[in-house]
Amino acid sequence: MHNHRTTITQFIIEEQRQIQGATGDFTSLLNDVVTACKVISNLVNHGELVGVLGTAGSENVQGEDQKKLDILSSEIFLSSNEWAGHCAAMASEEMEDIYQIPSRYPKGKYLLTFDPLDGSSNTDVNVSVGTIFSILRCKGDCVNPTAEDFLQRGTEQVAAGYALYGPSTMIVLTTGNGVNGFTLDQNIGEFILTHPGMTIPPDTREFAINASNQRFWEEPVMRYVDECLAGTDGPRKQDFNMRWIASMVAEVHRILTRGGIFMYPLDEKMKAAGREGKLRLMYEANPMALIIEQAGGAATTGRERILDLQPATLHQRVPVILGSRNEVERVTGYHG
Ligand SMILES: O=P(O)(O)OC[C@H]1O[C@](O)(COP(=O)(O)O)[C@@H](O)[C@@H]1O
Ligand SMILES: [Mg+2]
Ligand SMILES: [Mg+2]
């Protein structure tokens, strides 16, 4: 008897069988998302061999220089998910407005939001990058959806996940029923369940923050990091380690695997620029917050639970503090 390995398709179908009235739409939408991640993984893996490194010479709605892979990955996600009739519309980090499903295709009942290439500053230096996605139900006019239809709290997500293009390619997924990780077996081109029921330890001694912004941090974050750096000589009476990969997907995956706290807090520089944070609520903070909470961790802005936030705009930025529950609650507590 060969040792049976569960593919992501089988896992999703078996999970959907538990749901009364499941039509299969959700399953095939997830399958199309998985296909898109496979295609992006292949591009990232081949890098300069296929000429996909470097900048595209254009800016996105956030005023950031777009990498070729940002745009290619966004196009791959759109073309993989527009034809099958599951989506009413889509929204990408790389597009100002929502993407309407071309009239030649049927429309469906889901809204797909995604960060096609996360960790863009790492594409050209061969460091892990990823894709982040979030699925919502279309509650309004699904024939002519608008950006407003996407502005649902993170608690409304029916699924969230990310693909990590690292030494191995993985997908980590939640449909609100725990968190599971799958590794791409390049030989058969299938994602195999390798990390069932991922959970985050409540305590950790590993923090991640971009220390180059230190002089702009608000007092609560300054205090928290100072106490970590003071180690056994300070009030925490224990030493802490630090990590910063500059790819949110890779940081979150490390935290899901061994615990930790990741912070991209609001700071004085952002406030001066009229910005509410660095990371985007709809396709970075909300999907990651759902995954983290489903694995037993916590995710706040420092002041509020991220999943409770009422989105105001499609590309809204928010402060993000997530990971091991007791540390996130400590930093949040410092914010009063
Ligand atoms: O360059 P910094 O300030 O370290 O910021 C790194 C952060 O920015 C991001 O790259 C933003 O995401 P994108 O690459 O999708 O724009 C995060 O993945 C990462 O955590
Ligand atoms: Mg990103
Ligand atoms: Mg991105």
Side-chain angles (χ1 to χ4, degrees), residues 199-207 251-262 322-324:
T199 55
I200 302 172
D203 296 302
T204 180
R205 286 198 273 153
E206 196 165 58
F207 69 95
E251 316 272 9
V252 167
H253 192 71
R254 182 189 61 248
I255 289 171
L256 271 172
T257 307
R258 68 181 190 210
I261 180 170
F262 167 83
L322 58 75
S324 292

Side-chain angles (χ1 to χ4, degrees), residues 93 115 117-119 132 279-280 284:
E93 176 194 3
D115 174 354
L117 207 282
D118 180 64
I132 311 172
L279 301 170
R280 283 53 60 123
E284 290 173 321

Side-chain angles (χ1 to χ4, degrees), residues 134-148:
S134 165
I135 299 175
L136 296 159
R137 271 196 190 79
C138 178
K139 298 183 176 160
D141 169 2
C142 300
V143 178
N144 302 302
T146 64
E148 276 61 48

Side-chain angles (χ1 to χ4, degrees), residues 205-225:
R205 286 198 273 153
E206 196 165 58
F207 69 95
I209 193 167
N210 183 338
S212 68
N213 297 321
Q214 182 172 28
R215 68 186 186 285
F216 304 113
W217 291 338
E218 294 180 313
E219 193 280 330
V221 171
M222 197 76 87
R223 173 186 172 191
Y224 176 78
V225 175

Side-chain angles (χ1 to χ4, degrees), residues 73-82 90 92 95 99 114:
S73 304
S74 189
E75 287 166 359
I76 289 164
F77 240 73
L78 295 175
S79 58
S80 301
N81 290 287
E82 67 178 355
M90 293 184 254
S92 166
M95 291 175 63
Y99 180 78
F114 54 91

Side-chain angles (χ1 to χ4, degrees), residues 14-329:
E14 285 176 355
E15 214 183 40
Q16 289 302 300
R17 276 203 195 116
Q18 320 298 324
I19 297 170
Q20 210 62 27
T23 63
D25 277 1
F26 181 68
T27 302
S28 51
L29 169 55
L30 277 177
N31 266 325
D32 293 343
V33 166
V34 167
T35 303
C37 294
K38 287 180 188 172
V39 177
I40 298 169
S41 169
N42 186 46
L43 275 185
V44 170
N45 289 161
H46 284 77
E48 204 48 29
L49 290 172
V50 289
V52 297
L53 302 185
T55 52
S58 52
E59 275 190 3
N60 65 17
V61 61
Q62 346 257 337
E64 294 162 342
D65 289 337
Q66 289 177 307
K67 294 292 180 74
K68 289 181 189 167
L69 276 168
D70 285 324
I71 296 176
L72 285 167
S73 304
S74 189
E75 287 166 359
I76 289 164
F77 240 73
L78 295 175
S79 58
S80 301
N81 290 287
E82 67 178 355
W83 62 273
H86 318 304
C87 289
M90 293 184 254
S92 166
E93 176 194 3
E94 303 306 331
M95 291 175 63
E96 179 154 8
D97 298 322
I98 67 168
Y99 180 78
Q100 296 288 353
I101 303 297
S103 53
R104 67 183 177 280
Y105 298 125
K107 294 193 177 180
K109 56 186 180 212
Y110 295 108
L111 299 171
L112 176 62
T113 313
F114 54 91
D115 174 354
L117 207 282
D118 180 64
S120 306
S121 67
N122 283 325
T123 53
D124 300 355
V125 292
N126 205 10
V127 169
S128 298
V129 293
T131 294
I132 311 172
F133 59 89
S134 165
I135 299 175
L136 296 159
R137 271 196 190 79
C138 178
K139 298 183 176 160
D141 169 2
C142 300
V143 178
N144 302 302
T146 64
E148 276 61 48
D149 291 306
F150 285 79
L151 304 182
Q152 301 176 33
R153 286 184 167 82
T155 46
E156 300 295 312
Q157 295 174 93
V158 286
Y162 62 78
L164 176 62
Y165 313 119
S168 63
T169 290
M170 291 188 67
I171 283 184
V172 169
L173 179 67
T174 183
T175 56
N177 184 16
V179 177
N180 295 281
F182 305 81
T183 304
L184 180 60
D185 181 334
Q186 307 277 5
N187 297 326
I188 63 171
E190 266 296 356
F191 282 96
I192 305 295
L193 180 62
T194 49
H195 296 64
M198 300 177 89
T199 55
I200 302 172
D203 296 302
T204 180
R205 286 198 273 153
E206 196 165 58
F207 69 95
I209 193 167
N210 183 338
S212 68
N213 297 321
Q214 182 172 28
R215 68 186 186 285
F216 304 113
W217 291 338
E218 294 180 313
E219 193 280 330
V221 171
M222 197 76 87
R223 173 186 172 191
Y224 176 78
V225 175
D226 284 349
E227 290 179 356
C228 291
L229 296 176
T232 48
D233 306 336
R236 302 297 308 272
K237 300 274 176 271
Q238 54 181 353
D239 289 338
F240 283 74
N241 199 354
M242 199 208 103
R243 288 284 183 273
W244 188 249
I245 304 171
S247 289
M248 184 189 195
V249 170
E251 316 272 9
V252 167
H253 192 71
R254 182 189 61 248
I255 289 171
L256 271 172
T257 307
R258 68 181 190 210
I261 180 170
F262 167 83
M263 298 173 275
Y264 215 118
L266 179 65
D267 66 34
E268 302 308 331
K269 187 169 69 176
M270 295 168 186
K271 287 185 209 172
R275 286 176 35 195
E276 299 164 289
K278 157 94 179 187
L279 301 170
R280 283 53 60 123
L281 177 59
M282 298 304 295
Y283 40 80
E284 290 173 321
N286 267 341
M288 291 307 203
L290 185 65
I291 291 168
I292 292 286
E293 285 203 8
Q294 281 286 316
T300 78
T301 63
R303 294 175 173 85
E304 293 170 83
R305 180 186 179 220
I306 286 174
L307 293 180
D308 287 339
L309 295 175
Q310 173 52 52
T313 61
L314 206 52
H315 300 287
Q316 172 182 349
R317 298 171 187 264
V318 290
V320 174
I321 295 174
L322 58 75
S324 292
R325 174 166 293 283
N326 294 340
E327 288 303 304
V328 173
E329 286 173 359

